[in-house]
């Protein structure tokens, strides 16, 4: 007798085909196929596969998931003990929506109309898991993860050292799948200890993030893929090779193998009807690819925090062993009573440049005035890859896993002051020495004034900027600056005193300002205080000024973001005063970026046009 997926290979009469077309089930229900069977029309290779198959399994509703799995094993669909155990642990009835529980233990597909997706029949899940040959440590991708049952099975098969990721294009399906795997993990100690944590992402497989390319050992696709779209799936496999189990239109279930030398083979293991993948157009794929690469190119680097080590050195202790509280990193809100937080309130704003001043702080004034209403503090324009601090401000430091819990008894009274024109701020020399390269070098080199109780700061540094610098020294975060000009002023201080991490935080703040507002279309803010008038001219002027700042200060991330903005808004930027003030070398950077962007786009188009078809499958 044939296995059920092989029985589904029988051809149907035209009336029966029309009836089947009226359903959206992934696989044609078995009973209908039995009625439609016509042996006289069965191709030879299908017939040979049919008579070589295992026993026919029962298709009535099983009493329990255990009965369902045992039926699949008796029918010869399940061959390995590992797949058998995976399907036992990931019980189908735990993943099916409540309104379909009566169908859960039938060996048939389920159409979930409310969420517009299908759940494959158990025999198809078993067939695909057997064909995937998942091993401990493998990285596994389940495309069209739906309810999450196959993703969960894969997570158990690859084990704690592996990885299992599900992709789905429907937000509701992603939410449902995540809830299901969370519930299974909480309810099954064996699954929790024996599986890697399954991840389910809202993602179209044909528009993947670069982080997934060349990432997986095994890929399962749960919907029918057009033959000309198999190439992008292969790009997900690791360089050393891998395996894909995918239904290919019109009705092949194929195993595609990529070898370490790049050779590709295809083998048809069954004939089965699946619903179609949602396939974007070539233009959509190209635009999504360019957008993804644009985000990746302008993504910030990482400047690790030394906060925990610095605190341990300041107090003469070691970091505590427990890094989290309630699953979240602990951040310190402590500042000594004489520290910056008690002296910055009511401080005058950073002095404005004179009208004739053409420095980059002055050139950013249009952007500053348009953003001072709170865009820098808005959480909806966080850049991809950037974290938010405890207040949700872009550019804030990630919370330290070891809280700074210094008391006045441990620090003692401040032993020096930073002095400016008409103001001073008391500080602890030990904090400055540990947290700042400038003061560490000053003390280590034995400068004559290294032990002085008074340290003068440059005249052009404002009290507010120095206070923000000290806030970083004590808290490892950049204060929430509603006025971006403060970030520029703090950046000056950070560069002078050589604080790489503070420089990085200031750079993130300024880059976020430009990139985040670019995404919202020139300054309209749909959240937080209502809409703000568009200030595209100010943003264009700021882009050139930020490029000059980044180039002069060696800020690679800010430079990349500014160049990206200028190239994509060149007409507006080129008309600004700031652009006219760029140096010859900075204008050359813009031309270089424009040429690179154009060349790369053409290369992507040619790559798509030149993609070769895969070799014909074996039957």
């Amino acid at each position: 007798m044939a296995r059920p997926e092989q029985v589904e290979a029988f051809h149907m009469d035209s009336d029966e085909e029309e009836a089947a077309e009226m359903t959206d089930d992934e696989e044609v229900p078995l009973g209908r196929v039995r009625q439609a069977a016509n042996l006289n029309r069965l191709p030879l290779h299908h017939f040979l596969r049919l008579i070589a198959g295992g026993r026919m399994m029962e298709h009535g509703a099983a009493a329990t998931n255990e009965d369902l799995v045992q039926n699949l094993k008796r029918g010869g669909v399940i061959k390995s003990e590992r797949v058998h155990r995976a399907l036992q642990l990931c019980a189908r009835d735990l993943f099916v929506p409540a309104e379909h529980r009566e169908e859960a233990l039938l060996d048939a597909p389920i159409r979930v109309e409310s969420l517009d997706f299908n759940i494959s029949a158990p025999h198809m899940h078993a067939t695909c898991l057997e064909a995937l040959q998942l091993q401990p440590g493998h990285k596994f991708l389940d495309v069209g993860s739906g309810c999450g049952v196959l993703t969960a099975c894969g997570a158990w098969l690859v084990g704690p050292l592996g990885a299992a990721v599900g992709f789905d294009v429907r937000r509701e399906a992603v939410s449902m799948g995540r809830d299901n795997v969370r519930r299974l993990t909480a309810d099954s100690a064996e699954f929790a200890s024996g599986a890697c944590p399954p991840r389910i992402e809202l993602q179209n497989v044909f528009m993947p993030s670069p982080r997934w390319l060349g990432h997986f050992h095994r890929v399962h696709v749960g919907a029918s893929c057009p033959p000309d779209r198999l190439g992008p799936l292969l790009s997900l496999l690791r360089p050393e090779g891998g395996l894909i189990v995918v239904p290919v239109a019109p009705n092949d279930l194929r195993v595609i193998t990529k070898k370490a030398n790049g050779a590709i083979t295809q083998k048809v293991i069954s004939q089965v009807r699946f619903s179609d993948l949602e396939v974007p157009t070539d233009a959509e794929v190209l635009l999504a690819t360019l957008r993804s690469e644009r985000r990746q190119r302008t993504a910030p680097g990482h400047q690790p925090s030394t906060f925990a080590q610095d605190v341990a050195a300041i107090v003469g202790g070691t970091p505590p062993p427990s890094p989290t509280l309630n699953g979240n990193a602990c951040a310190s809100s402590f500042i000594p009573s004489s520290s910056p937080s008690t002296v910055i309130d009511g401080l005058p704003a950073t002095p404005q440049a004179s009208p004739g001043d053409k420095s980059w702080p002055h050139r950013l004034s249009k952007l500053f005035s348009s953003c001072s209403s709170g865009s820098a503090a808005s959480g909806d324009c966080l850049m991809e890859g950037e974290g938010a601090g405890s207040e949700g401000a872009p550019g804030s430091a990630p919370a330290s896993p070891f809280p700074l819990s210094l008391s006045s008894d441990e620090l003692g009274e401040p032993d020096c002051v930073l002095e400016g024109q008409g103001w001073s701020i008391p500080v602890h020399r030990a904090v400055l020495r540990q947290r700042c390269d400038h003061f560490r070098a000053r003390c280590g080199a034995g400068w004559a004034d290294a032990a002085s109780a008074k340290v003068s700061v440059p005249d052009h540094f404002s009290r507010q900027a120095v206070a923000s610098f000290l806030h970083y020294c004590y808290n490892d975060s950049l204060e929430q600056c509603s006025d971006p000009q403060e970030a520029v002023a703090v950046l000056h201080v950070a560069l002078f005193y050589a604080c790489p991490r503070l420089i990085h935080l200031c750079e993130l703040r300024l880059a976020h300002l430009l990139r985040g507002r670019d995404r919202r279309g020139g300054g309209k803010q749909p959240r937080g205080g209502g809409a703000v008038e568009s200030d595209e001219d100010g943003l264009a002027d700021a882009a050139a000024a930020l490029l000059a700042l980044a180039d002069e200060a060696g800020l690679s991330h800010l430079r990349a973001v500014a160049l990206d903005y200028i190239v994509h808004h060149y007409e507006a930027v080129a008309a600004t005063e700031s652009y006219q003030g760029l140096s010859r070398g900075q204008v050359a950077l813009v031309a270089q970026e424009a040429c690179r962007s154009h060349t790369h786009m053409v290369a992507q188009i040619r790559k798509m046009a030149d993609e070769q078809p895969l070799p014909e499958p074996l039957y």
Side-chain angles (χ1 to χ4, degrees):
M1 298 293 289
R3 290 193 288 272
E5 69 272 23
Q6 295 167 334
V7 173
E8 291 173 8
F10 288 121
H11 286 259
M12 291 178 282
D13 295 330
S14 58
D15 292 342
E16 291 155 345
E17 288 179 336
E18 182 178 355
E21 288 291 334
M22 296 174 64
T23 74
D24 287 323
D25 290 345
E26 276 190 35
E27 302 102 42
V28 179
L30 188 62
R32 181 176 298 167
V33 177
R34 282 177 173 168
Q35 296 171 4
N38 183 344
L39 289 177
N40 294 329
R41 299 173 59 189
L42 186 68
L44 176 61
H45 63 274
H46 293 172
F47 176 75
L48 293 175
R49 186 183 301 112
L50 177 65
I51 63 174
R55 295 165 45 204
M56 177 68 72
M57 61 168 287
E58 300 87 347
H59 277 271
T64 65
N65 183 73
E66 178 64 27
D67 292 338
L68 175 63
V69 175
Q70 290 297 338
N71 287 344
L72 292 171
K73 189 172 183 180
R74 283 194 298 270
V77 182
I78 296 177
K79 301 178 179 67
S80 70
E81 288 302 320
R82 296 182 69 244
V83 170
H84 182 223
R85 188 57 184 152
L87 289 169
Q88 285 178 318
L89 286 174
C90 306
R92 191 179 194 232
D93 51 336
L94 297 180
F95 286 80
V96 171
E99 62 271 23
H100 295 280
R101 291 286 161 79
E102 292 183 359
E103 307 171 67
L105 299 179
L106 283 169
D107 185 29
I110 297 174
R111 174 65 180 173
V112 185
E113 288 287 355
S114 60
L115 299 180
D116 191 30
F117 76 92
N118 307 319
I119 301 175
S120 290
H123 71 266
M124 286 309 307
H125 283 159
T127 299
C128 292
L129 288 172
E130 290 285 359
L132 283 164
Q133 303 173 35
L134 289 166
Q135 300 299 320
H138 274 171
K139 290 180 170 59
F140 166 60
L141 173 63
D142 180 24
V143 179
S145 54
C147 67
V149 62
L150 196 73
T151 311
C153 288
W156 192 84
L157 288 168
V158 301
L161 298 181
V165 181
F167 283 178
D168 209 293
V169 297
R170 295 170 177 80
R171 194 175 299 275
E172 295 80 5
V174 170
S175 177
M176 174 179 156
R178 288 174 177 173
D179 289 343
N180 286 340
V181 296
R182 274 196 293 264
R183 186 166 55 251
L184 174 64
T185 303
D187 293 345
S188 172
E190 182 179 353
F191 179 85
S193 63
C196 67
R199 295 178 55 184
I200 298 181
E201 305 282 343
L202 182 66
Q203 178 77 60
N204 189 311
V205 71
F206 297 108
M207 302 179 183
S209 168
R211 63 180 170 152
W212 301 122
L213 299 178
H215 186 77
F216 298 101
H217 296 93
R218 299 289 187 268
V219 176
H220 166 261
V221 181
S224 184
C225 179
D228 61 350
R229 293 291 185 168
L230 295 175
L233 297 179
L234 288 168
S235 67
L236 299 167
L237 294 178
R238 296 176 69 84
E240 63 267 27
L243 186 149
I244 301 174
V245 175
V246 51
V248 180
N251 53 17
D252 286 348
L253 181 62
R254 300 185 189 178
V255 175
I256 304 176
T257 304
K258 174 184 173 182
K259 298 181 180 178
N261 63 2
I264 305 295
T265 62
Q266 295 191 77
K267 181 180 179 181
V268 177
I269 62 171
S270 180
Q271 296 287 301
V272 63
R273 177 193 173 91
F274 276 75
S275 59
D276 295 330
L277 277 176
E278 293 193 11
V279 180
T281 65
D282 288 342
E284 290 171 332
V285 172
L286 176 61
L287 290 173
T289 300
L290 294 175
R291 280 195 301 268
S292 177
E293 292 175 350
R294 183 183 173 191
R295 285 194 299 269
Q296 186 181 31
R297 193 170 59 255
T298 57
H302 177 59
Q303 182 68 40
S305 173
T306 60
F307 195 48
Q309 298 93 316
D310 291 343
V311 170
I314 291 169
V315 302
T318 57
S322 301
T324 60
L325 178 62
N326 296 329
N328 296 315
C330 302
S332 169
S333 59
F334 172 80
I335 304 175
S337 60
S338 55
S339 68
S341 70
T342 60
V343 297
I344 61 175
D345 293 336
L347 291 180
T350 304
Q352 298 292 321
S354 63
D357 185 0
K358 298 302 180 183
S359 64
W360 46 258
H362 172 65
R363 283 182 266 154
L364 293 172
S365 60
K366 290 183 180 179
L367 178 61
F368 294 159
S369 62
S370 69
C371 296
S372 61
S373 59
S375 65
S378 174
D380 45 273
C381 48
L382 275 171
M383 295 192 298
E384 182 177 312
E386 290 181 16
S390 58
E391 297 174 318
S396 297
S400 169
F402 305 112
L404 177 56
S405 55
L406 301 174
S407 67
S408 57
D409 292 337
E410 292 171 314
L411 283 175
E413 292 299 319
D415 51 4
C416 69
V417 295
L418 296 184
E419 285 193 335
Q421 289 186 329
W423 55 266
S424 65
I425 302 177
V427 294
H428 298 84
R429 185 181 286 106
V431 174
L432 293 179
R433 184 173 62 246
Q434 188 63 37
R435 297 285 288 150
C436 178
D437 291 347
H438 171 90
F439 288 102
R440 188 179 304 119
R442 186 187 190 109
C443 295
W447 291 8
D449 61 347
S452 174
K454 296 181 180 180
V455 179
S456 296
V457 302
D459 292 343
H460 62 282
F461 287 176
S462 70
R463 185 176 183 179
Q464 179 73 37
V466 173
S468 295
F469 157 70
L470 293 175
H471 178 90
Y472 161 79
C473 290
Y474 282 93
N475 294 273
D476 201 47
S477 67
L478 179 62
E479 284 187 299
Q480 185 143 341
C481 307
S482 59
D483 183 355
Q485 188 166 355
E486 184 179 346
V488 175
V490 176
L491 178 60
H492 265 309
V493 179
L495 288 166
F496 182 84
Y497 288 124
C499 294
R501 181 165 167 78
L502 181 56
I503 293 170
H504 177 69
L505 296 179
C506 293
E507 182 182 13
L508 291 184
R509 180 65 57 82
L510 293 168
H512 147 78
L513 184 68
L514 184 61
R515 186 176 175 185
R517 287 169 60 78
D518 176 24
R519 287 180 176 178
R520 284 207 306 267
K524 294 181 180 179
Q525 300 181 59
R527 305 176 190 170
V532 177
E533 289 185 9
S534 174
D535 189 12
E536 295 182 6
D537 292 341
L539 197 60
D541 193 58
L546 285 172
L547 173 60
L549 161 61
D551 185 56
E552 293 163 8
L555 307 176
S556 59
H557 171 55
L558 182 58
R559 179 170 55 193
V561 172
L563 282 171
D564 180 80
Y565 183 92
I566 292 171
V567 167
H568 287 85
H569 305 82
Y570 180 76
E571 185 175 354
V573 176
T576 65
E577 180 183 355
S578 292
Y579 186 82
Q580 302 306 316
L582 293 179
S583 70
R584 191 170 185 174
Q586 289 159 356
V587 173
L589 287 175
V590 175
Q592 182 180 8
E593 174 66 12
C595 291
R596 187 214 58 77
S597 179
H598 175 266
T599 301
H600 181 69
M601 180 176 64
V602 172
Q604 287 293 323
I605 294 173
R606 285 177 176 167
K607 179 181 177 182
M608 295 176 67
D610 295 341
E611 190 169 290
Q612 297 297 316
L614 299 184
E616 288 298 315
L618 300 174
Y619 288 90

